[in-house]
């Protein structure tokens, strides 16, 4: 999408971190932005701050892991702006639970927020983007953990799912004039380590799952140092705007993990090499 000014975007998880960075960069580019988040106080503060810059923004509270609330957010966006061109499915949580430590709630919470919300976002907003015929763009936030998985925890599983969904939709939606990008950030300086602040009552048991091979405070504490020293989310917001304008399939934030992805590809290639030349029995 080349000309962003005057278009309308919806960004989920927009009250903090990467979502706020994206909302800010889009608003600066003249996009009308509906900020969507589960955390009312942070949402109100984010909308108020952006309004001080004369941006045309609004906020809608929704728990994106509840389809009806996401639908209500779409209804509120149409009521306010009449149409939608850009959707950024960005809300996400760390989840919890490595092997031997996960529980059903930790899986359901993580899958609900990080994956089902993205699926429903596409399902609900896709037809709205299509119907005005002006084209549009969908960005889905995965993670570098959607490209390399050092543990079988729910977070990585959901992020691989978001990458798969995005790669497939990019092919399917191109003829419908909708670009699709997947954002795979490295360590970004946000509030992600405090994801449990938004843990819904129905997933309360997730707090009893522990991190990947260690207890939850230790696991989250280990990540906290990297996050606190991470990349500025406002910089990521600018990258996402550039990615939308340039229709980038993958939006990476830095090259730190590129060698690990190379190693993964080499492992996959070695798997093919191992059976090369054999005649599969049919
Ligand atoms: N920070 C990083 O280093 C990093 C790295 C890779 C991927 N990511 C991904 O980036 C995305 C944004 O996270 P962030 O790092 O900006 O963290 P953040 O905690 O600062 O922001 C996440 C936002 O999502 C909102 N949210 C959480 N659950 C929600 C729900 N059920 N419904 C609606 N909103 C909800 C939170 O209130 C918050 O405003 C996530 O998908 C995360 O997995 C972050």
């Amino acid at each position: 999408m080349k000309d962003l000014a005057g278009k309308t975007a919806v960004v989920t998880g927009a009250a903090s971190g990467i979502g706020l960075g994206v909302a800010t960069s889009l608003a600066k580019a003249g996009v009308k932005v509906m900020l969507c988040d589960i955390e009312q106080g942070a949402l109100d503060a984010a909308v108020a701050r952006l309004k001080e810059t004369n941006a045309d923004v609004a906020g809608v509270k929704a728990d994106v892991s509840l389809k009806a609330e996401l639908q209500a957010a779409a209804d509120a966006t149409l009521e306010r702006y009449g149409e939608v061109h850009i959707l950024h499915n960005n809300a996400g949580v760390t989840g919890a639970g490595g092997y031997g430590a996960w529980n059903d709630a930790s899986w359901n919470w993580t899958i609900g927020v990080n994956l089902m919300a993205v699926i429903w976002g596409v399902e609900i907003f896709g037809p709205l983007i299509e119907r005005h015929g002006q084209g549009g763009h969908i960005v889905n936030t995965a993670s570098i953990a959607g490209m390399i998985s050092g543990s079988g925890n729910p977070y990585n599983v959901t992020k691989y799912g978001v990458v798969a969904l995005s790669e497939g939709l990019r092919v399917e939606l191109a003829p419908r004039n909708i670009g699709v990008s997947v954002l795979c950030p490295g360590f970004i300086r946000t509030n992600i380590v405090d994801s449990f602040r938004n843990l819904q009552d129905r997933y309360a048991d997730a707090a009893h799952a522990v991190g990947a091979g260690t207890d939850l405070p230790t696991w989250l504490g280990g990540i906290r140092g990297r996050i606190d020293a991470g990349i500025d989310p406002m910089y990521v917001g600018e990258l996402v705007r550039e990615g939308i304008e340039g229709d980038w399939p993958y939006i990476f934030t830095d090259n730190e993990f590129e060698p690990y992805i190379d190693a993964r590809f080499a492992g996959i290639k070695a798997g093919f090499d191992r059976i090369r030349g054999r005649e599969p029995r049919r």
Side-chain angles (χ1 to χ4, degrees):
M1 278 197 85
K2 282 288 170 223
D3 302 313
L4 297 190
K7 301 291 195 300
T8 299
V10 176
V11 181
T12 69
S16 170
I18 293 171
L20 182 54
V22 172
T24 304
S25 77
L26 292 179
K28 248 198 248 172
V31 178
K32 297 170 253 183
V33 186
M34 178 62 92
L35 290 83
C36 171
D37 206 283
I38 196 173
E39 207 178 318
Q40 187 76 66
L43 180 62
D44 291 346
V47 170
R49 257 197 323 275
L50 282 174
K51 278 191 169 158
E52 281 168 13
T53 66
N54 284 330
D56 188 350
V57 297
V60 60
K61 180 175 187 271
D63 174 351
V64 295
S65 70
L66 294 173
K67 195 174 187 178
E69 292 200 10
L70 203 49
Q71 179 63 59
D75 296 343
T77 307
L78 288 183
E79 195 171 316
R80 175 77 169 78
Y81 292 116
E83 54 188 12
V84 184
H85 303 86
I86 298 165
L87 167 68
H88 188 166
N89 287 306
N90 168 75
V93 291
T94 53
Y99 169 72
W102 61 55
N103 59 32
D104 286 355
S106 75
W107 276 103
N108 290 335
W109 176 42
T110 319
I111 291 172
V113 181
N114 292 6
L115 185 56
M116 289 314 299
V118 180
I119 293 166
W120 290 329
V122 170
E123 185 181 321
I124 292 167
F125 287 92
L128 302 182
I129 298 174
E130 268 191 77
R131 78 178 188 193
H132 49 61
Q134 300 161 40
H137 203 92
I138 296 174
V139 182
N140 297 323
T141 299
S143 168
I144 211 74
M147 294 274 158
I148 38 160
S149 187
S151 125
N153 67 26
Y155 185 82
N156 298 357
V157 172
T158 60
K159 296 304 187 178
Y160 265 66
V162 171
V163 170
L165 181 73
S166 306
E167 288 179 343
L169 285 174
R170 184 173 172 84
V171 178
E172 272 182 299
L173 298 190
R176 295 166 187 257
N177 205 14
I178 301 176
V180 180
S181 303
V182 62
L183 170 65
C184 298
F187 286 112
I188 315 300
R189 199 174 62 244
T190 70
N191 295 310
I192 190 80
V193 181
D194 297 312
S195 290
F196 276 79
R197 71 191 186 281
N198 292 312
L199 184 65
Q200 302 89 327
D201 289 347
R202 66 186 186 283
Y203 301 133
D205 212 28
H208 301 122
V210 292
T214 176
D215 66 275
L216 190 58
T218 309
W219 179 57
L220 291 175
I223 306 173
R224 192 180 294 276
R226 294 301 319 272
I227 296 289
D228 287 351
I231 293 165
D232 183 347
M234 293 296 159
Y235 172 77
V236 179
E238 296 294 339
L239 276 178
V240 170
R241 183 198 32 77
E242 208 182 330
I244 294 170
E245 287 167 342
D247 192 20
W248 299 355
Y250 304 97
I251 306 173
F252 292 110
T253 56
D254 59 281
N255 294 83
E256 178 178 353
F257 293 94
E258 190 179 354
Y260 299 90
I261 295 169
D262 285 344
R264 173 169 176 250
F265 289 160
I268 292 169
K269 179 82 169 53
F272 281 117
D273 289 343
R274 211 164 281 133
I275 50 89
R276 194 175 310 287
R278 294 191 193 178
E279 275 302 322
R281 191 162 43 241
R282 297 184 195 278

